[in-house]
Amino acid sequence: MGSNDVTTDASTDASPGHFHAAVGRLQISGDWTLAHHAALRRQVQAHRADVSADDAVDLSGLAGLDTAGARLLVELVGAERMANVGQWAAELPRARLALLETVARVLGEPLEPEAPPRAPLADWLVDVGERVGALWRQQHLLLGFIGLTLTTLFATLRRPRRWRMTALVAHVHQTGLNAVPIVALLTFLVGAVVAFLGATVLRDFGATIYTVNLVAFAFLREFGVLLAAILLAGRTASAFTAQIGAMQANEEIDAIRALGLDPMALLVLPRLLALMITLPILTFIGMLSGILGGAMVCIFMLDISAAQFLSILQRDIPLNHFLVGLGKAPIFAFLIAVIGCLEGFKVTGSAQSVGEHTTSSVVQSIFMVILLDAVAALFFMEMGW
């Protein structure tokens, strides 16, 4: 056999498939079936370059054929040429012609379908709909978790033996005492900034004395509780989610249930009650620090003495502003704790899921705090409080 004459045998079985490639002619014979697929595939890959697209193909010696063998024949002869096998191999049985044409047509099509034409407006509407649906499902789940939390809380309050005071004190220390320095520092700086801005505007009207009223109103009603809540949303809600999420990923919560314990009473209630205790305290500290920051600006920049500053506070600032700001703290604390714990229970078991839900808890907590504060401000304004 010369250099242009190649004969391949796929197997030593009774009727193995093989092909004979001579100059200008390709003869196929034997069984091209799954039983000989491995050997046939090696031979086709090794001698595919010896077959020309112009060679005449003789399929008269083809004995057996199935889908695996048809695929190898299409690879050897070419999908485009094999798709027209009925024109140059009409002697084959109709079933084999149909099989070869079908396999050739499938292999000749692109693996990835063409992308459908994009409609930017429709895509935007679909995205908006998906986001609204996700928001609705999230709020529905949050309301259900709030109901479960309240049910567990009321059931536990009637049984003092089930109170977990050690966990409560530990979480009060973690969420409250450790947060005092950052809350005090931030509110002090914001109080100084508010006083600077107020003095800048009021100086043009000769009313810099009212900077005291501005700082007091701002921190007693809004900034004291809002800044403390936002700090706890970023600091504590993320910690709650990470702690419970890690337990969920390690199947520790399933172990708690297997021991007959309630994860809501064991994990959620101590965190919830601790945050409802510490946020009002941090709010009070934030109010004092913010007013102190404004007082520093008034004393050193606006020539308002400390005695005059305190006199204006006592004379012009009623107590109800302090009560309005302090009254919002437990509600904010409840929302922050519930959202942080809920996102922890939603973790699916991977480190990536823990990170995603930790981020989600911070964003949701801050959003809900600001939204509820805006609604409360409108309500109090209409009520004249």
Side-chain angles (χ1 to χ4, degrees):
M1 183 169 54
S3 60
N4 292 326
D5 191 358
V6 180
T7 301
T8 64
D9 290 325
S11 161
T12 59
D13 292 344
S15 182
H18 59 275
F19 68 89
H20 177 85
V23 178
R25 185 175 179 81
L26 176 65
Q27 185 175 3
I28 307 294
S29 60
D31 287 341
W32 288 67
T33 58
L34 184 61
H36 311 291
H37 180 270
L40 281 170
R41 182 171 182 80
R42 288 194 297 268
Q43 299 299 328
V44 168
Q45 291 177 345
H47 299 285
R48 175 67 181 86
D50 298 325
V51 179
S52 172
D54 299 328
D55 291 347
V57 181
D58 181 10
L59 298 177
S60 59
L62 186 61
L65 180 68
D66 59 10
T67 306
R71 186 189 185 284
L72 291 176
L73 286 176
V74 171
E75 183 179 345
L76 180 65
V77 177
E80 183 177 356
R81 189 177 183 186
M82 189 62 79
N84 301 317
V85 66
Q87 299 177 7
W88 50 267
E91 72 278 2
L92 288 179
R94 183 176 301 177
R96 291 189 176 180
L97 290 175
L99 176 60
L100 289 171
E101 291 174 352
T102 301
V103 173
R105 185 172 62 252
V106 171
L107 294 179
E109 295 176 352
L111 296 179
E112 296 183 0
E114 295 182 1
R118 300 183 62 85
L121 179 59
D123 292 344
W124 179 77
L125 291 176
V126 169
D127 183 64
V128 171
E130 291 177 350
R131 291 178 182 272
V132 171
L135 178 62
W136 168 254
R137 290 190 295 271
Q138 168 62 29
Q139 297 308 312
H140 185 269
L141 186 61
L142 178 60
L143 289 176
F145 191 76
I146 289 175
L148 180 61
T149 302
L150 292 176
T151 301
T152 307
L153 176 62
F154 293 145
T156 304
L157 289 178
R158 293 179 298 176
R159 299 180 177 89
R161 289 182 299 177
R162 298 179 59 183
W163 296 357
R164 303 185 179 278
M165 299 304 299
T166 303
L168 176 63
V169 173
H171 286 299
V172 167
H173 179 271
Q174 179 185 2
T175 61
L177 185 60
N178 293 342
V180 169
I182 185 64
V183 171
L185 177 61
L186 181 64
T187 51
F188 178 86
L189 296 176
V190 174
V193 171
V194 171
F196 271 120
L197 293 176
T200 302
V201 175
L202 295 173
R203 183 180 292 113
D204 297 335
F205 303 96
T208 54
I209 191 67
Y210 290 104
T211 303
V212 180
N213 302 68
L214 174 64
V215 172
F217 276 106
F219 275 88
L220 290 178
R221 292 186 69 95
E222 300 294 339
F223 284 166
V225 62
L226 190 61
L227 292 174
I230 290 176
L231 282 174
L232 285 191
R235 182 181 182 275
T236 305
S238 60
F240 288 174
T241 302
Q243 292 165 1
I244 297 178
M247 297 179 68
Q248 182 82 351
N250 295 329
E251 300 182 354
E252 296 177 35
I253 294 180
D254 294 335
I256 291 174
R257 292 192 179 99
L259 292 174
L261 301 175
D262 184 7
M264 295 295 295
L266 191 67
L267 302 176
V268 176
L269 291 187
R271 289 172 168 83
L272 172 67
L273 296 176
L275 205 59
M276 293 183 68
I277 292 172
T278 57
L279 186 54
I281 298 174
L282 293 175
T283 297
F284 180 71
I285 294 173
M287 291 176 179
L288 294 181
S289 299
I291 293 175
L292 180 61
M296 293 297 101
V297 174
C298 292
I299 293 172
F300 294 107
M301 303 295 295
L302 304 180
D303 296 328
I304 298 175
S305 64
Q308 188 178 8
F309 187 94
L310 294 175
S311 176
I312 294 173
L313 285 180
Q314 183 179 5
R315 182 190 66 206
D316 297 341
I317 309 300
L319 181 63
N320 68 294
H321 298 303
F322 170 76
L323 297 178
V324 164
L326 201 62
K328 293 186 286 187
I331 301 175
F332 291 168
F334 182 86
L335 280 176
I336 293 170
V338 167
I339 291 174
C341 294
L342 173 60
E343 290 298 315
F345 282 110
K346 289 165 63 178
V347 171
T348 56
S350 64
Q352 180 180 0
S353 179
V354 174
E356 291 174 352
H357 287 287
T358 300
T359 303
S360 177
S361 70
V362 174
V363 174
Q364 290 185 52
S365 299
I366 294 177
F367 173 78
M368 293 300 295
V369 164
I370 295 176
L371 176 63
L372 191 59
D373 185 71
V375 173
L378 294 176
F379 173 76
F380 291 138
M381 182 180 66
E382 292 297 327
M383 296 298 295
W385 295 349

